[in-house]
């Protein structure tokens, strides 16, 4: 830091502020510091700042997958939110409860300024760790009973919208594809709502099958096999993700099953593939970028005067396309 200060003809404190509190430094001076740092290959020692402050300017986020465009948009929202507040984002993949606990341990070890997790279904040990750490937490992608704060949408309302769309279209053998793994409450909340909607419509409420991998292209054909074995007259399906829905559309084409004539298919997520395949997917569209960006805003506002929002509803849309 002192080498940079000498090269830029400023104090070491000015160098520190140029990186940690850029609003405190005149723009011309800040640019001079950055140029000197670039020439010298200087990178701020974040660990030293953490020791002095007791916490870092790092936000830790755990996500189960980065294979679909929905989570990509979510992580982009997190990243841009962090940049807007002068923080850095660390993302760890956590597809199981154990992996999520390890991610939380890492974030606590880094003295993160905040943690963002997906869902509110955690290992008890993770919940205990989070409670003892006192680090602000936002649970995203669904609402209800947050440990600290939550941002997302009402999954029950989205399920009802998808069900009612099929019913209004005259479908009478409607099925749901789910995922029942531990740590996937955002999927496991759907079957009870689906059954309730089917009973309200006077339709069978037991046409439900689970897939092991809700983000894998192999799941669509597997789900279609299971559904047709369960009831050969199924005429509509609600899938857990657009990946499953798209692969089911592909499998229907391979078998000569008309979509949506014979079977109407609704996906979930409005991934990039949803609007590009033929027939294009009708799908439930959450707002992932808004969730990511909003989660960071909630962490930054936590504890500030007048802050009262513990939950934020980012809403959803049912995007009607060609598949049903």
């Amino acid at each position: 830091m002192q080498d940079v200060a000498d090269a830029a003809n400023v104090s070491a404190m000015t160098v520190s502020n140029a990186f940690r509190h850029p609003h405190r430094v005149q723009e011309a001076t800040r640019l001079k510091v950055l140029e000197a740092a670039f020439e010298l290959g200087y990178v701020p020692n974040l660990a030293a700042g953490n020791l002095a402050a007791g916490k870092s300017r790092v936000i830790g986020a755990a996500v189960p997958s980065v294979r679909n465009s929905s989570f990509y948009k979510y992580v982009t929202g997190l990243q841009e939110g962090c940049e807007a507040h002068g923080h850095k984002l660390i993302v760890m993949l956590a597809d199981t409860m154990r992996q999520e606990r390890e991610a939380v341990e890492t974030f606590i070890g880094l003295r993160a300024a905040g943690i963002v997790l997906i869902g509110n279904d955690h290992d008890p040990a993770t919940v205990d760790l989070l409670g003892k750490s006192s680090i602000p937490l936002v649970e995203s992608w669904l609402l209800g009973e947050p440990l600290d704060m939550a941002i997302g949408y009402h999954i029950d309302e989205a399920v009802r919208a998808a069900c009612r769309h099929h019913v209004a279209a005259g479908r009478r053998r409607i099925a749901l594809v789910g995922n029942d793994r531990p740590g996937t409450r955002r999927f496991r909340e759907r079957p009870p709502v689906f059954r309730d909607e089917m009973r309200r419509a006077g339709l069978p409420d037991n046409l439900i099958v689970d897939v092991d991998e809700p983000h894998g292209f192999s799941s669509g054909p597997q789900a279609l096999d299971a559904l047709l074995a369960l009831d050969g007259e199924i005429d509509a399906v609600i899938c857990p993700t657009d990946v499953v829905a798209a692969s089911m559309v592909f499998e229907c084409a391979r078998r000569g099953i008309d979509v949506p004539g014979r079977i109407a298919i609704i996906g979930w997520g409005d991934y990039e593939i949803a609007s590009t395949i033929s027939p294009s997917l009708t799908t439930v569209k959450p707002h992932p970028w808004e969730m990511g960006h909003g989660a960071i805003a909630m962490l930054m506002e936590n504890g500030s005067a007048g802050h009262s929002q513990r939950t934020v509803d980012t809403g959803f849309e049912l995007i009607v396309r060609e598949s049903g």
Side-chain angles (χ1 to χ4, degrees), residues 11 16 56 58-59 69 72 81 87 101-102 123 128 148 158 165 181 230 237 241 251 260 279 287 292 295:
S11 68
S16 176
S56 69
V58 165
I59 301 295
S69 58
Y72 170 76
H87 281 59
R101 185 180 70 252
E102 291 172 351
D123 185 280
D128 184 58
D148 186 1
H165 176 79
R181 290 185 306 163
L230 184 64
V237 183
T241 66
E251 183 64 11
H287 297 117

Side-chain angles (χ1 to χ4, degrees), residues 159-160 162-176 191-208 231 233-238:
V159 174
R160 294 189 192 281
C163 289
R164 292 172 186 178
H165 176 79
H166 275 327
V167 171
R171 306 291 173 168
R172 291 297 176 262
R173 311 294 291 182
I174 303 170
L176 177 76
V193 182
F194 170 81
R195 285 190 287 267
D196 180 60
E197 281 296 311
M198 293 302 101
R199 287 192 291 265
R200 288 171 182 263
L203 301 176
D205 67 349
N206 64 332
L207 303 180
I208 301 174
D231 185 334
E233 299 303 314
I234 282 173
D235 61 5
V237 183
I238 300 169

Side-chain angles (χ1 to χ4, degrees), residues 148-150 298 301-312:
D148 186 1
M149 298 173 282
M298 294 176 78
E301 294 168 4
N302 183 56
S304 62
H307 174 67
S308 60
Q309 278 192 301
R310 310 308 298 177
T311 63
V312 173

Side-chain angles (χ1 to χ4, degrees), residues 274-292:
S275 61
T276 57
I277 66 169
S278 182
S280 56
L281 282 178
T282 293
T283 185
V284 173
K285 178 184 180 179
H287 297 117
W289 186 91
E290 288 79 0
M291 278 187 265

Side-chain angles (χ1 to χ4, degrees), residues 20 22 33 42 48 50 55 61 69 81 88 92 107 111 125 133 138 146 191 208 214 236 243 247 256 260 281 310 320:
R20 295 176 56 83
V33 169
Y42 169 75
N50 295 354
K55 65 177 182 179
S69 58
K88 301 298 181 183
M92 293 186 66
F107 300 148
R111 303 299 185 265
S133 74
V138 174
I208 301 174
V243 170
S247 59
L281 282 178
R310 310 308 298 177
V320 179

